[in-house]
Amino acid sequence: MTLVGPGQAGDAPMFPHLMRHLRIRRAGRGRARTRPDRVRGDKAYSSRAIRGHLRDRGIVAVIPEPADQAGHRKRRGSCGGRPPGFDAVDYRGRNVVERRFNLLKQWRGLATRYDKLAIVYRSAVVLHAVITWTKALSDTP
């Protein structure tokens, strides 16, 4: 699934929309799950709203705390609260997603987003995904 938002808005405002559309197929039969076990994200997703959203749904957040947020929390002393939990070993698996995005950005039109219409940009993303999957599933080099 591909969601395309306004280019200048950033990733964090799209997070609730992405979570609303998330479907995880089950191994056997049955309806797809809508709640993952955990969410891995970079420091951009370390907002209070995103962490609260995940906490309310019972999802483990594997998101590092940025240095400025840690500084603000420490400056407040005992009123700053505990640091959020972070599993560094689990966070290492996030590089798979980052490598896919880097592969996607090899297309100049996708990296720079020259397209004015979101539907045209999304179709280029889907086309790139189809080409990538076809190469991966093909038995010829």
Side-chain angles (χ1 to χ4, degrees), residues 7-30:
Q8 71 278 8
D11 296 335
M14 288 298 289
F15 186 78
H17 302 293
L18 180 66
M19 291 300 291
R20 210 173 304 126
H21 292 287
L22 182 67
R23 300 289 180 265
I24 304 165
R25 291 181 60 189
R26 295 187 187 272
R29 297 175 56 129

Side-chain angles (χ1 to χ4, degrees), residues 44-82:
Y45 292 96
S46 182
S47 71
R48 204 177 288 150
I50 289 176
R51 287 186 186 273
H53 175 75
L54 293 174
R55 193 177 316 110
D56 291 343
R57 294 191 63 200
I59 302 170
V60 176
V62 184
I63 304 170
E65 184 181 29
D68 64 332
Q69 286 180 6
H72 296 313
R73 184 179 42 76
K74 289 177 184 175
R75 189 180 68 233
R76 293 187 63 191
S78 61
C79 296
R82 291 187 312 211

